Amino acid sequence: EGLEKRYGDPSEELKNRLSYELETIHQMGYVDYFLIVWDFIKYAKDHGISVGPGRGSAAGSIVSYCLEITTIDPIRYQLLFE
């Protein structure tokens, strides 16, 4: 849903990037981390608490962008997930 919200009708390239990142996040054991960060960011936004656009290695993630953890489009700025 987040991929479609951010990109409209996503290309196969975008779908492949998302699948690759999700698989990597799962294999590395970071699923809980992403969900906890998403929960903190959502809480802050829902309660009018300012959050930054994103930083660190997760800022280059299409997963973070699609979950609205970050506002940085990694495709537009050619950011690497790794």
Side-chain angles (χ1 to χ4, degrees), residues 17 53-62 64-65 70-74 79-80:
R17 166 100 180 234
R55 60 182 295 245
S57 59
S61 167
I62 199 170
S64 293
Y65 185 62
T70 65
T71 58
I72 301 168
D73 181 350
L79 301 176
L80 299 174

Side-chain angles (χ1 to χ4, degrees), residues 2 4 7-8 11 17 19-20 22 25-26 31 33 35 38-39 45 52 56-57 59 63 68 70 76 79 82:
E4 290 177 4
Y7 294 102
S11 67
R17 166 100 180 234
S19 293
Y20 168 73
L22 288 171
I25 289 166
H26 177 72
V31 173
Y33 169 79
L35 293 174
W38 171 81
D39 199 32
K45 289 178 178 179
S57 59
V63 172
E68 298 183 7
T70 65
R76 178 178 179 190
L79 301 176
E82 290 85 3

Side-chain angles (χ1 to χ4, degrees), residues 8-76:
D9 185 22
S11 67
E12 284 302 311
E13 179 183 356
L14 290 171
K15 291 177 186 178
N16 290 338
R17 166 100 180 234
L18 181 64
S19 293
Y20 168 73
E21 288 188 18
L22 288 171
E23 183 178 323
T24 302
I25 289 166
H26 177 72
Q27 288 177 350
M28 299 295 292
Y30 285 112
V31 173
D32 293 341
Y33 169 79
F34 274 80
L35 293 174
I36 290 168
V37 171
W38 171 81
D39 199 32
F40 282 138
I41 298 297
K42 182 171 179 357
Y43 178 88
K45 289 178 178 179
D46 289 348
H47 290 86
I49 301 168
S50 296
V51 295
R55 60 182 295 245
S57 59
S61 167
I62 199 170
V63 172
S64 293
Y65 185 62
C66 290
L67 288 173
E68 298 183 7
I69 292 172
T70 65
T71 58
I72 301 168
D73 181 350
I75 304 304
R76 178 178 179 190

